Amino acid sequence: MTDRKFDYRKLRGRIVEKYGTQGAFSKAVKLSENSVSRKINGIKSFSREDILRWCELLDIDRDDIGIYFFTQKVR
């Protein structure tokens, strides 16, 4: 089985669009900036709870979760 990598560029863009900086979003989501960075850089996985909470804070419709969290990187 191959290790899947996800493309979080759209998610990063939404964070900046809504909060201005990753640091500001980190405070809103009540995680350290390092924890947020590790998740959007694919070092740590998102839990289901993370995804739902982030969608709530970023006004991401549940129908669009796949676009923001499960778009695979193209080699």
Side-chain angles (χ1 to χ4, degrees):
M1 183 166 166
T2 61
D3 187 29
R4 293 187 179 161
K5 303 285 184 188
F6 295 102
D7 182 347
Y8 294 117
R9 287 179 294 180
K10 192 164 181 77
L11 180 60
R12 282 187 184 99
R14 186 65 167 213
I15 288 169
V16 171
E17 177 186 325
K18 291 290 187 175
Y19 287 88
T21 66
Q22 188 174 297
F25 177 70
S26 298
K27 289 177 185 170
V29 78
K30 297 185 173 125
L31 290 172
S32 71
E33 191 168 351
N34 185 49
S35 291
V36 170
S37 179
R38 291 170 59 88
K39 288 177 187 288
I40 62 176
N41 284 311
I43 297 167
K44 294 284 284 181
S45 298
F46 286 96
S47 69
R48 286 181 225 149
E49 291 79 16
D50 288 334
I51 292 171
L52 293 174
R53 178 74 177 136
W54 288 37
C55 286
E56 181 182 312
L57 291 171
L58 296 169
D59 295 321
I60 296 172
D61 191 280
R62 288 190 180 195
D63 291 336
D64 295 330
I65 287 174
I67 296 167
Y68 288 91
F69 292 92
F70 298 105
T71 298
Q72 290 189 348
K73 282 187 178 180
V74 179
R75 291 185 182 199

